[in-house]
Amino acid sequence: MKKLIGFLLLCFVSLAAYSVEVPPLRVKGTSLVNDLDQPIQLKGMSTMGLQWTQRFIHYQTIEWLKTDWNSNLLRAAMYTKEGGYIDNPSIKDTLKNAVNGAIYAGMYVIVDWHNLSDGNPQTYKRQAKEFFDEISREYGDYPNVIYELCNEPNGNGVDWDNVVKPYNEELIQVIRQNDPDNVIIACTPNWATNISAVARNPIRNQTNLMYNVHFYSGGTDGNWLRGEIDKALNVGIPVFITEWGTSYYTGNDGLYFDSARQWLSFMKERKISWANWSLSDKNETSAALKPGASGTGRWPESELSESGKFIRKYLREGAALN
């Protein structure tokens, strides 16, 4: 046991000593700003469920996303069900590997409590509070870490006022006991699209708080949702697009690059930060990698999907290109 404790202590010291520092972030108005008070846009990839994509949670992969793809953000999607944390709590170790890799590489990282089939976030609220208490205790001193309180509340009766907002408020209290500063992203109802409910009744008396919105280029009414986002921004609601894809919302069908270009221009103009779905080699159109792609980065174009090529080119060149 002493040897194990010594090893873990060495790992912690090494992480602190050799990681690339990033500036702390805060929320000012509706903008995410850096330590110079300048608005900043985070851009990068979301993993698929960590229970399926553990081999991509490798320091070399994360560093490659930073240096070759020009990403400054990784979203670590830790599913609660579908073989995730509730069924297999050891998946938390993979999430911590993702967080450690991002800290070491000098990237920001979203810790995502990824509910899906368990649409009501209250279902596993106790486990969520225990999880975020541990994570905020362990990583609260690292400005890299951003907390996403849940992925996509959904289902009948899972409304903002009575279910989702109270869940967010309880989780915020847990995190703030350990980490008073890092950015928290509250979840929004109806698969993270009902930002209008938040605008009518926002969470009060909190700093460094944003709200998630999700979209897919196909199957999402872009004009409607962009209009709802603008309405929310106009009344002071900060938005973070923690998940979006170039496909239909199922992760398949498409690709819808023209719609994606509209969204990318919209987010760039408003400096809305985003994570693209997904860093995986699943055989579906939203995956950035082709099946069998390397788990340690350095992907040639032949290992990138059409979506992956599109996102990489945008991140590298700063414009949505063909």
Side-chain angles (χ1 to χ4, degrees):
M1 179 60 72
K2 289 182 179 179
K3 289 184 179 180
L4 176 60
I5 294 172
F7 173 75
L8 293 174
L9 180 61
L10 177 62
C11 290
F12 177 79
V13 171
S14 299
L15 179 63
Y18 298 108
S19 60
V20 178
E21 291 187 5
V22 298
L25 302 176
R26 67 185 183 91
V27 179
K28 182 179 180 181
T30 60
S31 297
L32 195 60
V33 300
N34 62 18
D35 55 337
L36 300 177
D37 231 23
Q38 300 166 328
I40 184 172
Q41 185 186 28
L42 301 184
K43 296 172 288 186
M45 299 301 298
S46 172
T47 71
M48 201 181 180
L50 295 176
Q51 69 271 36
W52 301 307
T53 55
Q54 293 185 47
R55 69 190 188 90
F56 296 110
I57 308 307
H58 191 286
Y59 168 69
Q60 290 178 317
T61 303
I62 297 170
E63 186 180 48
W64 186 250
L65 289 171
K66 179 184 179 182
T67 58
D68 183 74
W69 287 46
N70 198 32
S71 300
N72 56 11
L73 175 70
L74 177 72
R75 179 188 188 229
M78 189 189 72
Y79 275 62
T80 49
K81 296 295 290 181
E82 289 82 39
Y85 179 79
I86 300 300
D87 303 317
N88 178 20
S90 68
I91 201 68
K92 177 177 59 181
D93 297 333
T94 303
L95 178 131
K96 289 184 177 182
N97 287 340
V99 174
N100 291 339
I103 291 171
Y104 190 82
M107 291 175 66
Y108 295 94
V109 56
I110 296 174
V111 174
D112 165 34
W113 180 261
H114 198 93
N115 74 311
L116 190 62
S117 62
D118 51 319
N120 188 333
Q122 297 276 355
T123 303
Y124 297 110
K125 181 177 66 177
R126 176 182 61 80
Q127 292 91 333
K129 292 169 78 170
E130 292 170 353
F131 169 78
F132 279 110
D133 179 59
E134 178 180 344
I135 294 298
S136 58
R137 285 179 187 274
E138 189 165 339
Y139 293 106
D141 290 336
Y142 292 94
N144 314 66
V145 176
I146 299 169
Y147 311 95
E148 185 174 9
L149 302 183
C150 73
N151 171 56
E152 292 180 348
N154 63 84
N156 293 331
V158 183
D159 69 336
W160 172 251
D161 293 332
N162 300 302
V163 178
V164 181
K165 183 184 180 185
Y167 167 86
N168 283 319
E169 290 172 330
E170 286 194 49
L171 269 291
I172 290 167
Q173 288 183 2
V174 169
I175 292 170
R176 288 298 183 229
Q177 289 176 356
N178 306 317
D179 180 353
D181 301 316
N182 282 5
V183 173
I184 295 174
I185 304 172
C187 51
T188 60
N190 196 25
W191 310 91
T193 63
N194 192 356
I195 192 66
S196 61
V198 177
R200 289 192 299 270
N201 182 19
I203 296 169
R204 304 290 184 182
N205 303 317
Q206 294 294 336
T207 59
N208 295 339
L209 179 67
M210 308 186 84
Y211 299 88
N212 70 355
V213 172
H214 294 175
F215 72 86
Y216 280 78
S217 299
T220 299
D221 185 343
N223 288 330
W224 167 78
L225 186 53
R226 287 190 291 270
E228 292 299 301
I229 292 171
D230 270 341
K231 290 176 184 176
L233 293 174
N234 288 338
V235 295
I237 304 299
V239 169
F240 199 125
I241 307 288
T242 57
E243 181 180 320
W244 75 273
T246 59
S247 68
Y248 204 62
Y249 68 85
T250 58
N252 246 317
D253 303 316
L255 300 152
Y256 298 89
F257 287 149
D258 287 342
S259 175
R261 291 185 187 95
Q262 287 183 296
W263 273 106
L264 286 164
S265 295
F266 175 85
M267 293 186 289
K268 182 178 180 180
E269 289 170 2
R270 292 153 181 78
K271 288 195 177 296
I272 297 175
S273 297
W274 55 260
N276 177 257
W277 186 270
S278 68
L279 177 64
S280 79
D281 65 343
K282 185 178 179 181
N283 187 24
E284 63 179 17
T285 50
S286 62
L289 306 172
K290 290 183 178 178
S294 167
T296 55
R298 299 190 175 277
W299 306 294
E301 287 246 332
S302 61
E303 292 188 5
L304 301 182
S305 70
E306 292 306 308
S307 182
K309 292 174 186 176
F310 177 85
I311 297 299
R312 176 178 179 266
K313 196 167 189 178
Y314 179 83
L315 287 168
R316 285 169 60 89
E317 300 184 15
L321 304 173
N322 292 319

